[in-house]
Amino acid sequence: QALTRARFVAGDTDVGRGFDAIREEILRQPRDRAKLKEEVLAMRQKMIDANASDAETVARGEFDIKQDPGGIIDVEFIIQYLVLGHAHEHPELTGNLGTLAPLGIAARLGLIPAALAEPVQNAYRDYRRLQHAKRLNGSPKSRVARETVAERIAAVRALWEEVFKG
């Protein structure tokens, strides 16, 4: 999954081209999507278990925009699954286009419903803005009132269900 986000950013251009070629070759390998889905879901569950919000946080109606289901990590896992599961048929998913571009590409290719892609892209952008604001204000956690991001959570959860159902 980490390789979906890896990018060559500085150094010898020949090394960079070599890295990019190896990265694309690995990402474009055919994978058993059912097994990949199991592995992604298992990894996500481990992260949820390790970072579960405490009862006090839940009682206050807070949402961790990075860790909680419906947040940043869910968006990133959806994208990683789409790239790893479909890049062998759709190499355009492997381009160095930023975090969210694969969602738009996946929608254009019919891998996910177009009506779900844009709301999730917007949710991710909003989450990142909120996360940056929290960090700039010295907050160690990225928690916000759940009701302020309820629509974003719902959009991410809808795409999660669509991608990982059954």
Side-chain angles (χ1 to χ4, degrees), residues 93-156:
L93 289 167
T94 66
N96 186 0
L97 305 170
T99 301
L100 294 175
L103 280 180
I105 294 167
R108 196 170 56 252
L109 294 170
L111 303 175
I112 59 173
L116 296 178
E118 186 175 351
V120 171
Q121 289 172 316
N122 291 335
Y124 186 87
R125 287 184 194 103
D126 289 344
Y127 287 155
R128 295 295 292 183
R129 277 193 288 275
L130 289 167
Q131 186 181 46
H132 292 309
K134 291 281 187 183
R135 286 182 182 161
L136 288 172
N137 289 322
S139 177
K141 297 285 184 176
S142 297
R143 292 187 178 131
V144 297
R146 182 175 286 277
E147 73 250 9
T148 66
V149 292
E151 286 181 33
R152 293 166 188 84
I153 296 168
V156 174

Side-chain angles (χ1 to χ4, degrees), residues 44 47-48 50-54 56-75 123 126-128 130-132 134-135 139-150 152-153 156-157:
R44 183 64 181 117
M47 293 179 76
I48 289 169
N51 295 295
S53 295
D54 58 42
E56 185 178 318
T57 300
V58 173
R60 287 194 307 258
E62 291 181 343
F63 177 76
D64 185 318
I65 59 177
K66 182 174 181 182
Q67 299 290 339
D68 285 349
I72 288 172
I73 291 176
D74 278 3
V75 176
D126 289 344
Y127 287 155
R128 295 295 292 183
L130 289 167
Q131 186 181 46
H132 292 309
K134 291 281 187 183
R135 286 182 182 161
S139 177
K141 297 285 184 176
S142 297
R143 292 187 178 131
V144 297
R146 182 175 286 277
E147 73 250 9
T148 66
V149 292
R152 293 166 188 84
I153 296 168
V156 174
R157 294 308 298 163

